[in-house]
Amino acid sequence: ELLPSVQNKLLFFFLFTIKHRFLDSINSQRRTEEKARRRDSMAEKEEDVLLIGAWASPFSRRVEMALKLKGVPYDYSDEDYLVTKSPLLLQLNPIYKKVPVFVHKGKVLLESHLILEYIDQTWTRNPILPQDPYGKAMARFWAKFVDEQVTLIGFRSLVKSEEIDVAIKEAQELITYLEKEITGKMFFGGETIGFLDMVVGSMIPFCLVRGWEGMGIDMIPNEQFPELNRWIEKIKEIEIVRECIPNREKNIEHMMKIVGRIKAASKTA
């Protein structure tokens, strides 16, 4: 008669143990998930990124591309820098008074190339700079070449030139170096978009080309620059790039305002 009673007690104890282990498991999982949520929330607060840029600025657009590729949440403040400069911009960049201005955890960074390198070293996922020293140095070299030489000769000097055909030829000679550099590659960075793709992409197809178009100049015809044009079509397929491409008509109008300013300044110089 005692045997069923003992069996019932053992069964009760077994079920009681299973139930509490199950509840402990659920509570442990909930605690783990809550810790993860708090960790993610703290990480987002720690990132605390602000970018002051301008919708038509290739220099701030390339920074946005990098942040989007890295998956870094950020706040964005747009400056209408051709009209006025905000007190915040003047406070954070009193030297150059230009965009982009990048703020991370209260630390202020200027100059797009430096900002891109900082982003790459701070958030190491999806690297944008080559890992080997030579590749990294060459990416920096070509980025400087685009921002300084191509932009100067291909736009500012072109706008001020009285011999437009000569100026176009000089610009195309420079662009030929980029044509050679991209030949045989998917992207300037190799198989995936990288540092140099962001610099060249933000500056040439989505900035200078709009200025040339407004001036009635076909600077990079497909028959002369087939590889560069192939690359341009390729980067347009990338979502983070498409999200940062300015509206074409609006951008042409903006670039023509800059053309007008350069011409006016050259007449008074």
Side-chain angles (χ1 to χ4, degrees), residues 22-174:
F22 177 71
L23 291 174
D24 286 343
S25 176
I26 291 176
N27 289 332
S28 176
Q29 184 177 353
R30 286 175 176 171
R31 286 193 295 270
T32 301
E33 291 174 350
E34 180 61 27
K35 285 181 181 178
R37 281 194 293 269
R38 288 177 182 174
R39 211 165 38 240
D40 291 343
S41 177
M42 288 175 64
E44 287 183 7
K45 289 179 181 177
E46 286 175 0
E47 285 177 359
D48 193 22
V49 173
L50 168 66
L51 172 63
I52 302 176
W55 68 268
S57 167
F59 305 103
S60 63
R61 286 298 193 178
R62 65 184 56 156
V63 174
E64 286 194 85
M65 290 179 193
L67 291 171
K68 289 176 183 294
L69 180 66
K70 297 282 188 176
V72 178
Y74 63 98
D75 293 321
Y76 178 75
S77 176
D78 196 77
E79 288 276 332
D80 191 358
Y81 63 95
L82 290 185
V83 178
T84 185
K85 302 179 190 296
S86 72
L88 181 61
L89 175 64
L90 296 175
Q91 175 189 343
L92 296 179
N93 189 0
I95 298 175
Y96 299 114
K97 304 176 178 63
K98 295 179 180 179
V99 298
V101 175
F102 183 83
V103 185
H104 178 220
K105 296 182 182 180
K107 295 176 291 188
V108 180
L109 279 173
L110 312 173
E111 300 297 314
S112 65
H113 293 187
L114 299 179
I115 296 170
L116 289 176
E117 293 203 38
Y118 178 86
I119 290 171
D120 199 37
Q121 293 176 33
T122 303
W123 296 278
T124 55
R125 57 187 177 271
N126 301 327
I128 60 175
L129 274 161
Q131 299 303 296
D132 65 289
Y134 179 76
K136 192 174 294 185
M138 292 308 296
R140 291 169 177 153
F141 169 82
W142 288 114
K144 187 175 181 180
F145 170 78
V146 169
D147 281 353
E148 294 182 3
Q149 295 300 310
V150 176
T151 303
L152 175 63
I153 304 300
F155 192 69
R156 292 191 175 275
S157 296
L158 177 70
V159 170
K160 295 187 288 186
S161 178
E162 295 181 358
E163 298 182 18
I164 194 71
D165 291 338
V166 174
I168 291 173
K169 185 177 179 180
E170 289 177 352
Q172 289 179 332
E173 286 176 356
L174 293 178

Side-chain angles (χ1 to χ4, degrees), residues 200-215:
V200 181
S202 59
M203 179 58 73
I204 292 183
F206 311 129
C207 179
L208 297 183
V209 166
R210 271 74 185 279
W212 294 328
E213 189 174 347
M215 296 167 67

Side-chain angles (χ1 to χ4, degrees), residues 80-85 156 159-160 254-268:
D80 191 358
Y81 63 95
L82 290 185
V83 178
T84 185
K85 302 179 190 296
R156 292 191 175 275
V159 170
K160 295 187 288 186
H254 170 83
M255 293 301 293
M256 294 314 295
K257 289 180 181 178
I258 296 179
V259 167
R261 290 190 171 210
I262 294 172
K263 287 183 176 180
S266 65
K267 290 178 181 178
T268 57

